[in-house]
Amino acid sequence: MDSYPQEFPFGIRDVVELLHLKVRRRQADSIYTDCPFCGDRRGKMNVNFGKNVWRCNYCGESGGMLSLYAKLNNISNSDAFREISDALQAGDMDWGYDKEERGHTGTGVETLVPGACPGSGKEGVPQAERAGAREIHQTYSLLLGMLNLTPAHRAHLRSEKRGLTDEQIDRFGFKSTPPYFLCRSLTERLMKQGCTVEGVPGFYLHEKGYWTVRFSSRAAGILIPAVGIDGLVKGMQILLDTPFKDKDDPPEKAGTKYIWLSSSSKDMGITSGSPVHFAGNPFARTIYVTEGILKADIAHCLTDRSFLAVAGANNVQQLDPMFALLAQNGTELVIEAHDMDKYSNEMIAKGSSKICRIAEQHGMDCRRLTWNPNYKGIDDWQLALRKENKKKEQERKEGVKQKFKERYLCGQCDMDALEKEPNNRCMEAGGDIGAAQSLGLTAEEYAVYSRDGKAALEKVLDAQRRSWCFCIYQLDMEDGRTIPFAFKGLKEMHKAGYEQPPAACYRMAWDSALICPVGWKETEVLGHISECFGSSVPEGYSGRPLASSDVVELKGEFGRRYFYVDGGKFEPVRFSPFLAKKMDAVADT
């Protein structure tokens, strides 16, 4: 039911209609709409009819019904009150609205009638009072014990994309959602075992009078428990097998991948509340904060560090009591580990800043974690590091090594390395021919080495290589600002309004020379630069690993040429290096 303060002749529902906000989801006493402030079109703004308040869970904007109208129209609250009142008295509720969006026109779309629950067809939907924390934990724990994890879901969690072991999967309690026809029997089994279902998110009273739980084939997927710092299960997310997509979403949009197990739009149901998840040691001196429960679980397993996970980058309100408890437990440092989108998405950056403010309010230091920008999330980055380490270890065991000549022509070693080659490799290879092959030399080159020595061979090989001068320029984000195309391709740069990379936003990160074989083309040189700077970087290098949005300058007899890094490609661009900040300034920081 709407709550109308005595001094107001209207409620926030009326303001929503006046502003023509696009409704995406409907619940018992609230709706989710597109946010008119940040422009997000995924229905992230919650409008609560009972409390007459609103909040966008993406950009963090919030307030009461007057501020919703006032902020959007850039007027005062008193002017907003007058304009809303005038519009309602004049009956002017159709400003630009399509009839299909407002009333029953045979399309099945309901009018927002005060006192009714949108989408319910009845006068409001009674909501249950939230059950106690231990009751919720008991019900969820026994429910998870009744469910299985399908082989397909287990294989996904064990895949390279997730990287979990069977032991870790079982320890976290991941399960597959049950089919709809089992919902009632599962609920009845829980009740027979003395579990509370009323007030537990996901459970509700069916219109036929029995209790059940809200699973469906459309929302099938992997159940991911959200566990509090006390070890109790607070809620559950579903990693959807098929992401939800709105009909207005562009084809390239991935859709919603995670939803909460919730029953807020059902009789005697209740919202999930988006609880904060914890994985690790509650008495750790350093705590990492990231977005996403599964991401936190994976990162915890890969790093053996303690992680807090919020359901959305800007959904950080519940961190306040959590940080207060952690400070009492002895935590001294909070490390914000949101995805690397925080450098290109202003809303995610705002959430990142809020985490630091809350941590500092409780006497803890806070730092922003940055990693190889070729990987979006901290879990992606850690999985890539593990894969790279395994590859190196395998190569070490198998004795895989580039031959001397190949390394020398690419500037990876000097002539002294020739004498450090294992003698047994040459002997086992069988005479001069075998020795030449083991070093990567031709028979003629090895003959020069055998007859005239190392200095003579050096002259022969030096004639086969050349030096390429190059520079690397990277976006300067030292001041914490966001740049819309940071770590993204040319398409996103153009979408941000730039025809060419804006050199004034860049800083030189490296100025050096690269030794390459004489016959190499530009594409091969750029590929070699990518290999040298893409993951592990050379000593003394002050920048980030090479990633999208970086600019590489090649200098040679053709002059200067510039290339924009776009994923695995290098696209020719125009660039003004004199506008970029100097490398020395980076070294001083």
Side-chain angles (χ1 to χ4, degrees):
M1 299 290 288
D2 281 350
S3 173
Y4 287 83
Q6 292 182 356
E7 64 271 24
F8 293 103
F10 52 82
I12 199 168
R13 190 193 303 270
D14 301 308
V15 178
V16 168
E17 287 217 29
L18 282 173
L19 295 175
H20 318 139
L21 301 184
K22 178 71 174 180
V23 178
R24 297 290 183 180
R25 284 184 290 144
R26 305 173 186 272
Q27 297 187 338
D29 60 352
S30 66
I31 56 174
Y32 282 87
T33 74
D34 291 347
C35 179
F37 299 99
C38 66
D40 187 81
R41 297 177 57 193
R42 295 173 294 174
K44 295 290 186 179
M45 191 172 89
N46 177 263
V47 181
N48 189 299
F49 298 139
K51 298 179 181 179
N52 280 298
V53 295
W54 57 278
R55 183 183 188 280
C56 176
N57 292 323
Y58 186 55
C59 69
E61 289 285 351
S62 62
M65 60 183 176
L66 289 183
S67 69
L68 174 58
Y69 187 95
K71 285 184 178 181
L72 199 56
N73 290 282
N74 196 28
I75 59 177
S76 66
N77 281 0
S78 58
D79 287 338
F81 176 81
R82 176 180 54 78
E83 288 191 13
I84 295 169
S85 298
D86 290 345
L88 294 175
Q89 290 172 8
D92 190 3
M93 297 293 286
D94 293 322
W95 298 346
Y97 249 83
D98 292 332
K99 291 182 180 179
E100 289 79 3
E101 294 184 22
R102 296 198 60 251
H104 291 287
T105 61
T107 62
V109 180
E110 301 92 348
T111 303
L112 293 181
V113 179
C117 171
S120 69
K122 59 180 79 174
E123 280 292 314
V125 174
Q127 294 288 280
E129 184 177 345
R130 183 176 295 276
R134 294 196 174 275
E135 292 174 315
I136 293 174
H137 171 74
Q138 180 190 37
T139 300
Y140 280 151
S141 297
L142 287 176
L143 173 62
L144 290 168
M146 297 175 181
L147 302 177
N148 298 313
L149 185 67
T150 67
H153 284 158
R154 183 174 290 273
H156 172 77
L157 293 170
R158 294 184 61 197
S159 68
E160 288 189 357
K161 180 178 176 62
R162 304 298 181 186
L164 295 172
T165 65
D166 284 325
E167 185 275 329
Q168 291 165 343
I169 292 169
D170 295 337
R171 173 159 52 89
F172 286 125
F174 301 130
K175 296 297 175 72
S176 299
T177 57
Y180 174 77
F181 67 83
L182 287 180
C183 290
R184 179 178 180 180
S185 61
L186 286 169
T187 305
E188 289 175 349
R189 286 172 60 190
L190 289 169
M191 295 172 71
K192 286 179 181 178
Q193 294 186 46
C195 290
T196 298
V197 296
E198 181 177 341
V200 177
F203 293 87
Y204 66 97
L205 188 63
H206 194 274
E207 59 185 10
K208 293 185 178 180
Y210 58 83
W211 284 91
T212 186
V213 62
R214 196 179 185 188
F215 291 114
S216 68
S217 58
R218 183 169 180 260
I222 302 175
L223 269 176
I224 305 171
V227 180
I229 197 170
D230 53 7
L232 302 181
V233 181
K234 308 290 186 180
M236 289 199 280
Q237 272 193 333
I238 302 174
L239 170 56
L240 296 169
D241 291 339
T242 305
F244 291 162
K245 292 193 70 171
D246 188 82
K247 64 179 182 180
D248 297 328
D249 287 343
E252 66 272 12
K253 190 171 181 179
T256 300
K257 298 178 182 178
Y258 295 86
I259 62 170
W260 285 101
L261 177 61
S262 174
S263 50
S264 58
S265 62
K266 299 291 187 178
D267 284 355
M268 296 303 291
I270 189 167
T271 180
S272 65
S274 299
V276 174
H277 174 67
F278 183 82
N281 176 13
F283 298 97
R285 295 181 65 181
T286 301
I287 298 290
Y288 292 73
V289 181
T290 191
E291 175 192 357
I293 297 174
L294 183 57
K295 186 193 302 290
D297 287 339
I298 294 172
H300 165 63
C301 292
L302 292 170
T303 64
D304 197 28
R305 305 293 175 89
S306 297
F307 277 80
L308 277 173
V310 293
N314 227 328
N315 193 12
V316 299
Q317 304 93 316
Q318 294 189 50
L319 286 178
D320 188 68
M322 191 74 74
F323 279 0
L325 179 58
L326 288 170
Q328 292 178 3
N329 287 354
T331 298
E332 299 174 355
L333 175 64
V334 172
I335 296 182
E336 173 272 298
H338 278 353
D339 289 355
M340 292 297 281
D341 290 1
K342 59 196 170 193
Y343 291 104
S344 61
N345 189 311
E346 189 174 346
M347 303 311 166
I348 296 177
K350 286 174 65 176
S352 170
S353 299
K354 289 177 183 177
I355 291 172
C356 288
R357 285 199 297 271
I358 298 172
E360 290 165 357
Q361 287 170 5
H362 292 283
M364 298 182 288
D365 292 332
C366 186
R367 299 176 191 167
R368 171 180 280 190
L369 183 63
T370 299
W371 52 85
N372 186 333
N374 289 293
Y375 305 101
K376 181 180 178 183
I378 187 171
D379 55 336
D380 304 321
W381 172 49
Q382 289 296 317
L383 284 167
L385 287 178
R386 184 172 73 173
K387 185 177 180 180
E388 184 178 346
N389 290 335
K390 283 184 177 180
K391 180 181 177 182
K392 289 180 179 178
E393 179 63 20
Q394 187 66 25
E395 290 177 348
R396 186 189 66 78
K397 288 180 179 179
E398 296 176 356
V400 176
K401 185 179 179 183
Q402 284 182 309
K403 295 180 179 180
F404 163 76
K405 180 179 177 180
E406 184 179 355
R407 288 184 288 127
Y408 184 79
L409 293 184
C410 289
Q412 296 173 359
C413 69
D414 55 22
M415 290 301 295
D416 291 338
L418 180 65
E419 299 171 347
K420 297 177 183 177
E421 289 291 309
N423 292 329
N424 60 339
R425 286 182 60 193
C426 298
M427 292 172 62
E428 291 173 2
D432 289 351
I433 295 176
Q437 290 177 345
S438 70
L439 295 170
L441 299 173
T442 65
E444 293 77 9
E445 289 167 346
Y446 190 76
V448 170
Y449 172 56
S450 300
R451 183 181 65 249
D452 302 323
K454 184 172 65 176
L457 177 62
E458 183 176 10
K459 290 182 180 180
V460 172
L461 295 183
D462 282 349
Q464 300 177 40
R465 65 179 193 170
R466 61 159 295 182
S467 176
W468 286 77
C469 294
F470 73 101
C471 297
I472 295 176
Y473 298 89
Q474 298 182 325
L475 288 171
D476 178 31
M477 291 175 286
E478 292 295 317
D479 57 359
R481 62 177 175 157
T482 58
I483 299 176
F485 62 96
F487 314 133
K488 297 182 179 180
L490 274 178
K491 183 178 179 181
E492 285 75 13
M493 187 192 75
H494 294 154
K495 198 178 295 184
Y498 298 99
E499 185 177 341
Q500 301 294 334
C505 295
Y506 282 77
R507 185 186 295 277
M508 181 187 288
W510 192 246
D511 184 2
S512 186
L514 197 68
I515 304 298
C516 300
V518 167
W520 272 17
K521 300 178 181 179
E522 278 185 351
T523 53
E524 293 172 296
V525 176
L526 291 168
H528 188 50
I529 292 173
S530 180
E531 288 179 6
C532 295
F533 293 83
S535 52
S536 56
V537 296
E539 186 177 349
Y541 177 62
S542 57
R544 301 179 293 269
L546 198 69
S548 291
S549 76
D550 291 350
V551 173
V552 176
E553 174 187 353
L554 287 184
K555 293 178 274 189
E557 62 276 5
F558 48 75
R560 301 170 183 259
R561 286 172 58 81
Y562 301 93
F563 300 86
Y564 185 93
V565 182
D566 189 347
K569 300 180 295 184
F570 290 83
E571 300 290 348
V573 291
R574 295 196 305 274
F575 191 77
S576 302
F578 301 107
L579 298 178
K581 299 175 181 66
K582 302 303 180 184
M583 186 173 60
D584 291 342
V586 176
D588 293 339
T589 58

